[in-house]
Each structure stands twice: as C-alpha cells, then as structure tokens.
Amino acid sequence: MKKKLLSLTALLTLVTVIVTACGGSAPASNSPTATTTGQAQAGGQLIVAVQEDPRVLNPVYAGDRVTLTINQSLFSHLYTYNNGEKKFVLAESLTPSADNLTYTLKLRKGLTWHDGKPITADDVVFTMESVLDEKQHSSDRANFIFNGTPLQVKKVDELTVEFKLPQASAAFEGVLAGFIPIPKHVFEGEADLEKSKKNEKPIGSGPFKFKEYRAGEYVTLERFDNYFAGKPKLDTVTYRIAKDPNAANMALQNGELQMRKIDAVDHNKLNSTNRFNMVTYPEGRLNYLAFNLNVDVLKKKEVRQAIAYALDRKELITATYLSEEFAKPAASIFTPDTMYHTSEVETYEHNVDRAKELLTQAGVSNLKLRLAYVNTNKAHETQALYVQQKLGEIGITVELMALDSGAFGNMSLDMNNTAYDLSFGGYIMGHEPDGYKSLYLSDAAYNYSHYKNPEFDALWNQAAVEMDPAKRGELYKQIQQTVANEMTIYPIAYDNAIIAVDKKFGGLQEAGPKPVVMFEDLSKVFIQQ
C-alpha cells in the first residue's frame, strides 16, 4: 500500500506504498451501527473532515495522510492488496518470468483519464521514469532501487509494460502496489513535477475528478461518470479542512461535517449521540517516540535506554486511548500486520532504578530535553504531558514544544535538525516490510532519528532481495532487534482507526474501511432514503 502517513505528525511524510501495501481493506467493527439499512438515493454530497491542506495533488509525491486520502478518490492504482490477495484496478494482470527478473504488466482496455484521453503504457513508463529520475526527488525512488541499481521499464505495446529487475526481489510486487500512474500528456516536458502548476488542477483516473480547491478551506471532487468500475453514487465529495479537533467534532455533531477520523478520547461522547456509524478497525499503525541523534547527548545509547525504562506503555495507552480496546502495546517497529513481525525484542519494561543507573553510566545529570509534537494532535498532547512527568522522576526536565503541523514537518525533514530532541510520530507501512526502509536507512529523508549505521543499511538491502522466506525472516528479525537494542525509536502503541460517519450514509462496508485513507472506494457510498 504505503504508503507512506506518518502519524498526524510523522505521517506528514509517509511513503505512498502505505495505502496499498497495508493489506487492503480492513475488517470494520461488527457493531450494528456500521451496517447499511436504507436504499440508495441518487446523487448528493459527502463532506469529509481533513486536518490540513494537501501537500501536492500528485501521487508521485503524496506522503501525508490528507493528500493520500484525497488521492484515493482522485487517482487509481495498478492494483492493491486486500487481506494479502492482489486486487487488480487499472491493470488486469502482472506476470513474473521464471527467474523473477522480468514482470509483464497488462492494463485494462478502454481506460481514460478524467479529461477523456486514454490511459496507456506510455503513462506507466513515463511515471516510473519520473520516479527514478533523481532530479524529480520522489521519495518512492528507493522502492525501485535494488542494491544500488534501478529497475528498467519499457513499453511493449499500448497496454503492456515490462519491468526488468537487476536482481530478483521478494519485495517488488508489494512496492509496485503503491505505484500510481500520472498522465504523460499532462506532465511531459515539466522540469519539476512537484512544483508544476499542472498539479493545481489534477487530471486523475479515479472515481471522482477534480472540481475546486480553496486553500485553507476545502477540496471538492465531482463524480467521474466514465469510471471503469461504475459510476459513483454521490455527486460530489468535499474534503473540508478542519484543523481544530474540538471545532471539527462540533461541526460533525451539527451536520456541517459528515465523516471524520476521530480520537479515542472522543469516541464515547460522539457515539452517545446515536448520530454516527462508528467504524473501528486495526489500522496497522505504530505510534512512537523518536530520539534525535543529531543532538550530542542523545548519541549516547545509555541515555536513550534510560528514557525508555522511565516510561510505561500501559500507562501511556490508558492515558491516551482510554483502554486497550483502541490500542495495543507495541515493542517492534513493525506492526503486527507486516510480514516477519516479531515480538522477540527488548521491551524495556518500566524500571526507574535501571533508568537512573543508565544515566549515571552515561555521566549525565540535570538533563534538559525538548519534546516536539503537533499542537492539534490530542493523543500526542496527552502523551507529551505524561513523558514530561515520567522523565521528571529520573531527573530529566522536559520542555514541551507544541507546533503547528507545517512547522513540525519542516523541522522533521531537515536532515541536520537540532531544533528539538524528542518527537512523537506514527506511520502505516503495510504488509511488505521493505517499505519501512524509507524510514530507517541512513540517508532516508524520513529517518527522523538520524541513526546512521552502514551495517544496519546492509541488512535492509539484503532482506529486500532475499528470496528464501526463512532467511528473509531472519534478516528482518535482526532489523527489529537492532532498533530495539539501539533504542533509536521507542514504540508506544499499535492503535486502531475510528471513523465517525453520519448515519444517513450507507454503503460503508462496500466502500471498504482502509488504513490511512479511511475508505478504499467512496464511489460505493450513498445517501440512504
């Protein structure tokens, strides 16, 4: 999937592989309120709350939750994975050669972009070549580089594309699931695809087409009648920007908003109104605390481990999510839905004495640290207060830095960042573990801990191309154990998604609850008569 949010803090830079590689549609809560009870009414609009403006409506660069959510309706993938099963979308087949070095992709016949132009092999080749072009700075590039060598792509005929890998890769089909074509006839000749004005009025391939965008207010999409999988039931979908979570919940209750991903702390209050279907499902998301190794004192492993011992995951979960109904304690950087996830890692059970002992070993006292988080994220605000209290118990003073999402994102993406010492984040990386390397390789843009280790990088690169499942599993186990032992990331919880949807809307199960983007296919949603 990817692809690639990272939390409402670190999700700001998620890779696109998230949306498709996470195993597709998730099983929703079996609560009776999440079922369809009425007949479909033709037309109408759905207003969905999103936390901020999209970054850029171009799937080559989409990495944050908001952009990925909008793109889910605006663009279509070649294929996705649903519960580990491949589901073809724009493509009708993907066939590997006997040696797994060549993959032949065939597109469906009769596909069109929103402007009526045909979708062809030229679009797939152009998009992949753009992703591989270092001048275009796509974060997806690393997904198609194998031990330093990029794959090759060529057009066979109007509907057939051939991918040639420099070596066999067990990860390739998983990462290709996160690939979304863009129209060659629109972008050809553009020097910088990310900054192109063509992104202001995107031409997509999904069930809804672009209508209007007002920065700071909303993005509106309208029904694409020629969508290959059938005309959507709604006339329009509007993504309304609602930065303040409390105001957004009020708007949800008075009908100004009709769908929103809510925090666990708001579940009971909103559910008690009996106005919403509460669709709850495991999102395959890790919520974590990151240590910034650009900061000298945090280069000392003992300090990082001391902080880990000072915290208590179960207390954090109770404070943040109310109970384990909405989140489970996390130990590994891999979520349970990811292949080769293991629990055989150091868990750093709460131990104040051990924490103090490690600080003494490190020769550190009267330490002051800055903890950054997004000021509209209720979960991270609660966690920040908890961390401040618990670290105070071992003699560490914590300054809280509540930042707007833009400032936080800019600081996070600075490879030399020393503006803060600790930060909260989250990500959804999906079923294929190779996608995680975009967060952990030494030179990765989204390596927020700034941990650099050539031997660790080699494990990731070797695992990506290892074809023996047992050997591959052992490599990924070493990777998870390395992060735990080095304590560059402190995993907190695997949390669930909770989507509140106005009860007048049906078709939610058919739409398919999906990590990151809320629902897989909003063309199936309708107003109930």
Side-chain angles (χ1 to χ4, degrees), residues 46-50 252 257-261 499-502 508 518-519 522 525:
L46 170 67
I47 304 175
V48 182
V50 292
L252 197 63
L257 297 173
Q258 296 151 343
M259 179 187 293
R260 181 173 184 265
K261 182 179 184 294
I499 313 300
V501 187
D502 192 303
L508 303 183
M518 293 190 272
F519 289 93
L522 290 183
V525 174

Side-chain angles (χ1 to χ4, degrees), residues 151-333:
L151 63 73
Q152 296 179 344
V153 57
K154 74 172 185 178
K155 172 183 176 180
V156 177
D157 59 38
E158 285 301 300
L159 298 178
T160 308
V161 176
E162 192 173 82
F163 300 99
K164 285 189 175 294
L165 279 59
Q167 63 185 105
S169 169
F172 177 68
E173 290 194 40
V175 296
L176 189 63
F179 175 86
I180 301 177
I182 59 174
K184 178 181 179 180
H185 69 276
V186 172
F187 287 101
E188 188 173 27
E190 293 289 306
D192 188 331
L193 297 184
E194 185 175 19
K195 295 179 180 178
S196 171
K197 290 190 176 297
K198 304 292 180 64
N199 295 320
E200 295 176 4
K201 295 183 179 181
I203 302 297
S205 54
F208 292 89
K209 60 184 180 180
F210 179 82
K211 181 179 180 181
E212 185 180 18
Y213 172 33
R214 290 195 176 186
E217 297 185 42
Y218 60 81
V219 178
T220 296
L221 309 182
E222 60 185 351
R223 184 179 66 216
F224 178 44
D225 290 344
N226 293 327
Y227 184 55
F228 79 94
K231 184 171 71 173
K233 295 179 172 64
L234 295 167
D235 289 326
T236 62
V237 176
T238 293
Y239 299 89
R240 187 168 294 280
I241 296 154
K243 295 185 177 183
D244 183 278
N246 295 318
N249 284 339
M250 289 298 296
L252 197 63
Q253 292 178 76
N254 65 30
E256 294 176 36
L257 297 173
Q258 296 151 343
M259 179 187 293
R260 181 173 184 265
K261 182 179 184 294
I262 65 170
D263 294 302
V265 294
D266 297 321
H267 175 274
N268 292 344
K269 179 179 180 180
L270 290 172
N271 195 40
S272 68
T273 67
N274 201 35
R275 291 191 54 183
F276 307 102
N277 289 328
M278 291 294 184
V279 184
T280 303
Y281 56 90
E283 200 174 23
R285 180 179 182 274
L286 173 69
N287 182 24
Y288 64 84
L289 175 71
F291 299 89
N292 182 1
L293 273 67
N294 284 341
V295 177
D296 287 343
V297 71
L298 292 179
K299 288 182 169 68
K300 297 182 178 183
K301 180 168 66 173
E302 294 85 357
V303 175
R304 304 193 299 270
Q305 292 176 331
I307 291 172
Y309 277 117
L311 305 178
D312 186 319
R313 286 186 180 87
K314 290 185 178 180
E315 287 184 354
L316 264 171
I317 287 172
T318 299
T320 308
Y321 305 101
L322 304 181
S323 74
E324 291 190 19
E325 177 185 358
F326 299 120
K328 303 296 183 185
S332 170
I333 59 167

Side-chain angles (χ1 to χ4, degrees), residues 12 75 85 112-113 123 132 156 217 250 331 354 363 380 407 508:
L12 297 170
F75 293 91
E85 300 271 332
T112 65
W113 296 102
D123 299 305
L132 293 173
V156 177
E217 297 185 42
M250 289 298 296
R354 179 60 176 151
H380 290 165
L508 303 183

Side-chain angles (χ1 to χ4, degrees), residues 60-62 129-142 191-195 445-446:
V60 171
Y61 301 99
E129 289 179 341
S130 297
V131 168
L132 293 173
D133 183 354
E134 292 184 86
K135 295 179 182 178
Q136 297 299 341
H137 306 293
S138 172
S139 62
D140 287 343
R141 184 176 186 274
D192 188 331
L193 297 184
E194 185 175 19
K195 295 179 180 178
Y446 308 139

Side-chain angles (χ1 to χ4, degrees), residues 77-147:
H77 295 80
L78 296 173
Y79 58 88
T80 65
Y81 279 100
N82 285 337
N83 301 318
E85 300 271 332
K86 192 185 282 105
K87 175 186 175 183
F88 288 102
V89 186
L90 296 181
E92 66 177 20
S93 67
L94 179 69
T95 307
S97 60
D99 60 6
N100 292 305
L101 292 175
T102 302
Y103 286 78
T104 302
L105 179 105
K106 289 190 175 292
L107 294 170
R108 296 178 186 271
K109 296 179 181 178
L111 297 173
T112 65
W113 296 102
H114 292 159
D115 62 1
K117 302 288 186 182
I119 298 174
T120 72
D122 289 320
D123 299 305
V124 176
V125 171
F126 172 79
T127 306
M128 181 59 76
E129 289 179 341
S130 297
V131 168
L132 293 173
D133 183 354
E134 292 184 86
K135 295 179 182 178
Q136 297 299 341
H137 306 293
S138 172
S139 62
D140 287 343
R141 184 176 186 274
N143 295 327
F144 304 106
I145 305 294
F146 303 91
N147 274 344

